[in-house]
């Protein structure tokens, strides 16, 4: 399993690369957008994955929004 850690979950041959993404979450009163979120981004399909620590931080931001 460890050797496939950086392979895109869609399994089309893409690999996850370090990068950043824009995180958007819809709330009852509107949309919160966070730019420049550290993430891993597939070099083929641009699907992004957040690290757990980053996701936690975003949750805190959303709660305070
Ligand atoms: Zn991909």
């Amino acid at each position: 399993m460890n050797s496939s850690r950086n392979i895109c979950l869609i399994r089309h041959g893409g690999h996850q690369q370090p990068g950043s993404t824009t995180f958007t979450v819809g709330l009852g009163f509107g949309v919160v957008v966070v730019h420049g979120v550290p993430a891993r981004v597939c070099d083929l399909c641009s699907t992004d994955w957040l690290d757990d620590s980053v996701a936690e931080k975003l949750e805190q931001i959303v709660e305070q929004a």
Side-chain angles (χ1 to χ4, degrees):
M1 273 313 254
N2 282 344
S3 61
S4 65
R5 205 164 59 91
N6 293 324
I7 293 177
C8 178
L9 300 183
I10 295 170
R11 295 188 186 183
H12 51 53
H15 290 79
Q16 301 175 19
Q17 306 287 351
S20 65
T21 187
T22 299
F23 177 81
T24 308
V25 61
L27 299 176
F29 55 85
V31 176
V32 175
V33 180
V34 185
H35 296 282
V37 178
R40 284 167 290 132
V41 184
C42 176
D43 54 8
L44 276 188
C45 67
S46 295
T47 298
D48 48 53
W49 297 266
L50 299 177
D51 289 333
D52 285 347
S53 60
V54 174
E56 257 174 45
K57 209 172 280 183
L58 287 171
E59 269 179 33
Q60 290 172 7
I61 292 173
V62 168
E63 279 173 14
Q64 291 164 10

